[in-house]
DNA sequence: ACAAAAGTGTTTTCTATACACCCATGG
DNA sequence: CCATGGGTGTATAGAAAACACTTTTGT
């Protein structure tokens, strides 16, 4: 049996900054879909693992290096690529946009952050992939803590609150939220304050790595 | 770039009968791992979707047709197959063993149900795949109802209770469990009884398809 | 009558939710 | 002194958990 299916990886990278969730997209330099936006990705090399492939492609096409990536889903519709049969393993990542300078190279003509409610039309079946990724992101916050990968190392509590508000798409009770999060014991309160121009300066917190990842593994039932 | 990665699908099929969870395995007819046990699977054909491929392979190798299959994870370690680079998309299925006659054919020399705590050593990285599948099965019951695919159409309530006890690996409170499940409104009580030799005969129930799948889609938070 | 499995309610405890005022700073 | 965002406690309602006896059948 001669099989000639190609294998690619794609990465949906989410970033969070000042109250909005964005996705990193590239503008394709070559056909098919030349000039159209797409999520970053490319073919897997023969001797690299899938994770190595996503990380390499992300680096090549956008300049970012990411430390949180998880497998999302594998898309194998025979017609998803007009050229030939391409099966794509999609990944899902979270970063702080401020931590990296994005720049286009290789297959990308341009790289840009798009707010998730202001997305352009996309190449291939990337809209479907993105839709699934967004659903997963929203689902995640109900069973594990989120934030470590998206916030600065030191942050005022309101940043975390705003992140959750944004992800949930609705207001949350500040007092109950604080109670809940603090009871999880994943934050360490620092002896530092930060002022945002006006108002009372906020205490800074940082995630306690160890307890954060422990809780993430165990899983929580998280009702906000 | 000339890529020669092969793509396969594998299916972990779980069955439940009289208090034990089993997995369907095949004994390999050819090298590599000839004579060793493995989960069913095989290469994806060029013009079929991944789902079509799993269903075909399952039918060919074991004789079963399954109506509940979901994608589990894609395994892409470069060394997972000794012959060449093979990336495998693993699926996860549930059936009632009683509903099908299993029989070996094509690549399988033998097909057999194995209790999940009495597994033989497996080919390739199939132990890893199975481990993940078991974890997923256990995780599933916390956020959606389980049972429709695993139990007979008519069953006494104690069957469902035993299924949960088995999946959770611990005892549960019968009264609270019954209250919880009945309040979900996914069961219809029948006007039939069944006796198991001794003891009071049990009322039979069946799943209400519509409400079961509706709830499955919505998701539940399920604490037993 | 007894062994074996089915069926059934109430109380207690915990957790989620709703809700409003004071505090610290900058201008 | 006022505008702005930060920080805090209590009361109520609802859900989960703990818990034991009665019923129906076969032998």
């Amino acid at each position: 049996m001669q099989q000639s299916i190609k294998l690619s990886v794609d990465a949906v990278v989410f970033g969070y900054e000042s109250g909005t969730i964005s996705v990193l997209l590239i503008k394709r330099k070559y056909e098919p879909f030349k000039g159209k936006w797409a999520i970053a990705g490319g073919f897997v090399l023969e001797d690299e693992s899938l994770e190595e492939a996503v990380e390499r492609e992300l680096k090549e096409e956008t300049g970012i290096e990411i430390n949180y990536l998880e497998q999302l889903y594998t898309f194998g519709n025979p017609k998803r690529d007009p050229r030939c049969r391409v099966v794509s393993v999609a990944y899902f990542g979270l970063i702080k946009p401020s931590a990296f300078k994005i720049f286009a190279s290789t297959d990308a003509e341009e790289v840009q952050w798009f707010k998730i409610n202001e997305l352009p039309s996309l190449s291939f079946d990337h809209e479907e992939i993105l839709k699934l990724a967004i659903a997963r992101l929203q689902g995640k916050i109900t069973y594990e803590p989120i934030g470590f990968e998206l916030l600065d190392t030191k942050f005022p509590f309101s940043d975390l609150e705003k992140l959750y508000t944004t992800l949930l798409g609705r207001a949350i009770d500040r007092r109950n939220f604080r109670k809940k999060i603090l009871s999880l014991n994943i934050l360490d309160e620092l002896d530092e304050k930060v002022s945002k121009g006006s108002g009372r300066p906020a205490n800074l917190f940082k995630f306690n790595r160890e307890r954060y990842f422990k809780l993430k593994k165990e899983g929580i039932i998280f009702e906000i």
Side-chain angles (χ1 to χ4, degrees), chain A:
Chain A
M1 178 198 46
Q2 201 37 40
Q3 199 194 41
S4 74
I5 298 178
K6 287 196 172 188
L7 189 72
S8 71
V9 285
D10 287 301
V12 179
V13 178
F14 290 106
Y16 172 77
E17 212 155 28
S18 55
T20 47
I21 305 279
S22 306
V23 184
L24 194 62
L25 297 178
I26 64 162
K27 190 181 253 177
R28 292 179 57 85
K29 204 188 254 174
Y30 307 109
E31 291 295 349
F33 300 103
K34 182 178 168 181
K36 251 198 146 178
W37 293 96
I39 59 183
F43 292 109
V44 178
L45 300 180
E46 207 156 329
D47 54 357
E48 71 186 348
S49 71
L50 301 175
E51 289 73 24
E52 284 162 356
V54 209
E55 280 167 27
R56 178 181 51 72
E57 288 286 351
L58 262 178
K59 184 84 188 293
E60 283 178 15
E61 292 184 339
T62 69
I64 70 164
E65 276 176 83
I66 201 165
N67 40 24
Y68 181 78
L69 266 174
E70 72 174 53
Q71 196 179 298
L72 176 64
Y73 196 78
T74 299
F75 293 83
N77 186 309
K79 303 250 182 295
R80 56 181 295 284
D81 191 310
R83 293 166 293 185
C84 63
R85 179 78 191 272
V86 179
V87 170
S88 179
V89 185
Y91 281 76
F92 163 106
L94 302 174
I95 64 161
K96 330 180 211 293
S98 59
F100 291 94
K101 207 159 260 148
I102 56 174
F103 56 87
S105 51
T106 59
D107 302 341
E109 190 182 286
E110 226 180 297
V111 188
Q112 201 182 303
W113 287 102
F114 285 84
K115 299 184 181 176
I116 55 171
N117 40 16
E118 298 174 12
L119 294 171
S121 109
L122 297 178
S123 317
F124 305 102
D125 55 356
H126 288 188
E127 274 166 35
E128 190 190 344
I129 298 180
L130 207 50
K131 219 173 120 187
L132 187 66
I134 290 169
R136 173 87 131 243
L137 180 61
Q138 287 178 336
K140 276 187 91 63
I141 69 177
T142 69
Y143 62 87
E144 56 175 62
I146 282 261
F148 180 81
E149 300 83 357
L150 289 167
L151 297 178
D152 292 325
T153 33
K154 296 171 181 187
F155 56 89
F157 201 88
S158 55
D159 272 19
L160 188 59
E161 194 189 308
K162 214 178 291 168
L163 171 61
Y164 269 81
T165 309
T166 309
L167 284 176
L168 290 165
R170 62 180 171 82
I172 53 183
D173 185 288
R174 282 170 55 221
R175 280 173 290 192
N176 292 338
F177 180 72
R178 181 182 262 254
K179 241 183 293 175
K180 181 99 183 199
I181 297 287
L182 290 181
S183 75
L184 295 178
N185 231 6
I186 54 175
L187 293 184
D188 290 336
E189 190 161 4
L190 303 175
D191 236 0
E192 268 178 89
K193 290 183 194 295
V194 70
S195 167
K196 281 192 188 161
S198 82
R200 176 175 174 174
N203 260 312
L204 291 179
F205 289 84
K206 68 179 176 64
F207 280 101
N208 181 304
R209 268 191 132 81
E210 200 189 333
R211 292 200 290 264
Y212 180 84
F213 288 108
K214 183 159 169 282
L215 194 56
K216 200 147 203 162
K217 234 178 222 166
E218 289 169 3
I220 51 169
I221 300 294
F222 206 103
E223 294 287 337
I224 300 294

